[in-house]
Amino acid sequence: VPALIVAGIISNRYMYGVAKKRGTGTDASGQVAAESISACRTVFAFNLQAIQIERYTHFLDGPAKHSGKKAVVFGLSFGFSQFIIFGAFALSFWYGGRLLHEGEIGFANVLKCSF
């Protein structure tokens, strides 16, 4: 249980920090998109579509990198927590199987302890 708590704390702290950094980049890209849409006649009149797309993708590069890091940290912390849970089940069944083989407990007691 303590390992699960530590993994959850690390995951939540990292996710909160990444969300703060990502917000500024997505806000700027949203502003570029809103400007382009509100002034669409000007953009088309001066053939600025490529420039506006370049500005928009430039502002999304940073948040995309942070999202990749976020996915890696979340995946590792989730995988670690699942490893702890299923490792505890495996250890319980393994030790229960040993005790069952030696005749110290019955199958029903193995299941009671495991679940």
Side-chain angles (χ1 to χ4, degrees):
V1 175
L4 292 175
I5 293 171
V6 169
I9 289 171
I10 290 171
S11 175
N12 285 336
R13 284 191 182 172
Y14 187 79
M15 297 299 169
Y16 180 70
V18 170
K20 287 173 90 175
K21 291 178 185 176
R22 186 180 56 134
T24 58
T26 56
D27 292 344
S29 63
Q31 183 178 1
V32 169
E35 288 173 2
S36 298
I37 292 171
S38 65
C40 66
R41 290 182 185 208
T42 306
V43 170
F44 285 118
F46 292 109
N47 200 20
L48 300 173
Q49 297 94 331
I51 294 171
Q52 291 299 87
I53 290 171
E54 184 179 324
R55 283 181 60 208
Y56 181 73
T57 55
H58 171 71
F59 283 117
L60 287 180
D61 287 341
K65 290 178 185 176
H66 290 297
S67 294
K69 291 178 183 177
K70 179 181 172 182
V72 168
V73 169
F74 180 73
L76 289 175
S77 63
F78 181 74
F80 179 71
S81 65
Q82 292 298 306
F83 171 75
I84 295 297
I85 291 170
F86 287 109
F89 275 123
L91 183 64
S92 172
F93 283 124
W94 172 78
Y95 189 66
R98 279 191 68 174
L99 293 177
L100 184 66
H101 182 69
E102 293 172 1
E104 294 184 29
I105 61 173
F107 181 69
N109 290 333
V110 172
L111 291 180
K112 285 179 188 176
C113 292
S114 298
F115 296 110

